[in-house]
Structure formats: C-alpha cells, structure tokens
Amino acid sequence: DALGPTITIGEILVEIMATDRGTGFLEPITLIGPYPSGAPAIFIDQCARLGGSAGIIACVGEDDFGRVNVARLRADGADVSAISTSPEFPTGSAFVRYRKDGSRDFVFNIARSAAAQIDLTAAARALIARSGHLHVMGTAFAIPGAIEIIEHAIAAIKARGGSISFDPNVRKELLGQSETRARFARLVDIADLILPSGEELFVAAGVEGEREAVHALFARNASEVALKRGANGSTVFTREGRRIDCPAFAVEEIDPTGAGDCFGGAYVACRRLGMPIEQALTYANAAGARNVTAKGPMEGAGTRAELDAFIAMTPGRST
Ligand code: ATP
Ligand code: MG
C-alpha cells in the first residue's frame, strides 16, 4: 500500500440477533449480541485482518456498543483515529431475526444514532490526506453527512494518484430518490473497481445481460469488475477482456450477513498488496465463505494464515 491506507466511510453498528428463526420481534425471544457490524466496518476489518493498511471514518456513541466496535477494529489492526464519538447519540444498532425461508426482519436504529453523525473532522481530513484508496459502500448513501466526506476523499485521493472502488449495495428504496440516483451514477463513473452482487450489476450498468452490463461499465471508468454470486462463487472481468471465474468454497451457511463485505475487503486488500487477480480472488472467495460459517456479521473475517488454512481444507485449492 505504497500510497497509504485503504479507507472507507460510513456506519458502525452493533448487531443483535434472534437465536431462533421466526417472524419479527412481537414477543419475548432469546437474542444474542452485541456483535460488531456495519457494512463499511466489516469491509475494513477484513481488509486489516489480511494485513492491508486500513482505516475508517465513522461515528459511535459514548457507550459499550461503540467501545466493542472500536476495540475490535483496533485489535484487528485498523486505523481508528477517524472514528469520532458522539456525546449525544447512542451507537447505531440492528436487531435481526431470520425467518424460516432465509429472509430477514430488522429493527434498525441508524438514522437517529451516532452512525448518522459522521463529520469531516480534523482526524478524518488527516486520514484522507494520507490514504491511497477509497472504498465507497452504497449503504453510506443513507447517511446525509457521508456524501460531503466521500466527495472530499474522492478529490484528495484522485489528486494523489490513488484509486477508488465501489460496492453498489444501495437499498432499492433509496435509489428511488433522484439525488441518490445521481450520486450512485457518479460513483459508477469514477470507480476503478466495481463489486456488484447479483442484480446490482444491472442496476449499476443500466443494462440487462451480464456481458452487456460489464461492457457498459468498462465504457465508463472501471478497469475491473468483481461480480459476487453468493454460493456460486464469483467472477472478475477486466477491461482488457479477461474473465477469471472462481468457484465458491463449499461451507455450511450459519449466518450469510457480511459475506459480500468480507469478499470486498479481502479483494481490495490483496490487490493493493500487489497480488495478481487470481490470487486475490481466491482469498476473497475464501473470506466470504469463511465468514458465513460464523454467527455474527464479522466474526468469520480471517487473517492471511486463517484463510490459507481454510483454503487448504478444500482438496485441489491453494493460493
Ligand atoms: P451480502 O449477502 O453480505 O450482502 P453480497 O450479496 O454482496 O453479500 P455474496 O455474493 O452473497 O455477496 O457473497 C460474497 C462472496 O462470498 C461470494 O462471491 C462467495 O465467494 C462467498 N459466499 C457467500 N455466500 C456463500 C456460501 N453460502 N457458500 C460459499 N461461499 C459463499
Ligand atoms: Mg448475498
């Protein structure tokens, strides 16, 4: 990471999950948590665990939910200097319960939590000024203050010759707003690497059909597209016309939350550490697969040694 750390911007949350499957929270049920969470936090934690230099701009409350997150990120090697503490708002949270069919019910406290209080603080400016890569998460578009910071970071990092990646995981309802759609389109226009999951590819490209959509993205600015296919693995397409498919690692899925964020954190970290696409993609698939084997959104994020051991368990697979 010669140019400086990979950074991201957005929500830090705790997740508290129902231990049993079922519908909603309308009677007393057994819950387990708090688990550190928030898509940008999961991404940056996996990035740091793999040995990539990594930092996050975020805000937590002056409470244990904030402490548990900051302690985890710090322990895993992330730069936490630009995580501010709100004296007024509690740390963001998400209560989640899985239904029998795999869909989820949520109770969120994000918009009126510390997570929505992120600001372009002196510490945030300092982190941006020495960073070499910005990873933008679509989820951050839900936080009004994130936009200004993202714009500042894009300008600063581009001026330094750094690069930008974009995970277009924007909630569909948000894309109904013309302002959000414009911001989304702008990110697609400037990102060097785009990491869509399933349908997000077509939303980002504005075109149906996998080949057509990938070509439409290369006609803009992207030089790499990493397409996530859940339990079917993933594919990287390059502007030069290469296609690298990577089968998934077979695992028992305990908790699917965070797979895409771990995939992205691992892929960006490995590419920035200088690995070729094939090797980075193997680590990314391993990171996503390993994460779904653990309860809790970032509990299965792996170090390089842990991912090497995980990969070696599958006959015929190695890095
Ligand atoms: P999320 O579901 O967390 O929003 P996403 O939809 O962005 O994530 P996925 O495609 O679900 O991304 O997962 C990212 C990667 O993680 C996949 O490409 C795959 O390599 C791995 N992965 C996810 N789920 C599984 C699974 N059940 N078995 C094996 N690997 C998986
Ligand atoms: Mg998924």
Side-chain angles (χ1 to χ4, degrees):
D1 308 2
L3 259 178
T6 295
I7 62 164
T8 191
I9 298 162
E11 71 281 7
I12 285 180
L13 312 172
V14 288
E15 184 173 303
I16 297 171
M17 60 200 295
T19 55
D20 289 330
R21 287 182 183 245
T23 302
F25 300 90
L26 292 168
E27 70 281 321
I29 53 173
T30 306
L31 300 164
I32 183 166
Y35 289 110
S37 189
I42 300 166
F43 170 92
I44 215 66
D45 188 72
Q46 176 60 84
C47 203
R49 290 210 98 195
L50 249 173
S53 168
I56 184 168
I57 297 168
C59 183
V60 295
E62 227 168 67
D63 52 36
D64 283 352
F65 288 177
R67 283 175 208 117
V68 87
N69 269 292
V70 175
R72 168 66 60 86
L73 291 169
R74 185 185 284 124
D76 286 346
D79 183 327
V80 297
S81 64
I83 302 177
S84 59
T85 305
S86 166
E88 194 179 346
F89 292 89
T91 299
S93 61
F95 287 75
V96 61
R97 186 174 191 189
Y98 281 89
R99 293 188 180 183
K100 295 217 163 68
D101 66 3
S103 64
R104 294 175 287 186
D105 289 323
F106 286 103
V107 175
F108 287 117
N109 173 33
I110 302 176
R112 287 166 194 80
S113 78
Q117 304 302 311
I118 52 176
D119 211 350
L120 194 48
T121 59
R125 284 179 191 275
L127 177 60
I128 290 168
R130 58 190 159 74
S131 69
H133 182 94
L134 171 69
H135 179 74
V136 179
M137 288 246 151
T139 57
F141 288 179
I143 300 172
I147 311 301
E148 182 200 358
I149 308 173
I150 290 169
E151 287 301 332
H152 175 81
I154 288 170
I157 290 169
K158 284 221 151 189
R160 305 184 69 215
S163 47
I164 293 169
S165 51
F166 182 44
D167 184 332
N169 56 353
V170 182
R171 284 212 324 276
K172 277 204 184 72
E173 307 80 72
L174 272 184
L175 279 178
Q177 304 166 4
S178 60
E179 228 185 6
T180 310
R181 254 202 326 278
R183 280 184 196 122
F184 183 89
R186 169 161 159 69
L187 257 303
V188 176
D189 278 336
I190 57 166
D192 303 287
L193 164 66
I194 301 178
L195 304 110
S197 166
E199 291 289 308
E200 290 165 4
L201 171 65
F202 312 126
V203 177
V207 184
E208 290 293 321
E210 197 170 290
R211 261 180 62 90
E212 291 74 9
V214 167
H215 276 266
L217 294 179
F218 292 143
R220 289 161 89 168
N221 182 64
S223 53
E224 269 175 49
V225 174
L227 181 60
K228 296 171 272 181
R229 306 180 193 272
N232 295 315
S234 61
T235 304
V236 167
F237 301 89
T238 73
R239 179 188 271 157
E240 297 80 47
R242 294 184 63 210
R243 171 190 174 126
I244 302 103
D245 288 300
C246 189
F249 290 90
V251 292
E252 191 199 345
E253 189 176 290
I254 304 291
D255 178 0
T257 304
D261 309 325
C262 283
F263 176 99
Y267 189 75
V268 170
C270 289
R271 292 292 282 150
R272 294 207 69 222
L273 287 167
M275 290 182 201
I277 291 172
E278 288 79 359
Q279 190 181 15
L281 192 56
T282 300
Y283 276 118
N285 277 263
R290 187 177 189 274
N291 196 54
V292 307
T293 64
K295 192 172 270 190
M298 69 166 83
E299 299 310 301
T303 61
R304 186 154 179 185
E306 286 167 342
L307 294 179
D308 281 335
F310 176 86
I311 292 164
M313 291 191 318
T314 302
R317 302 288 292 270
S318 68
T319 53

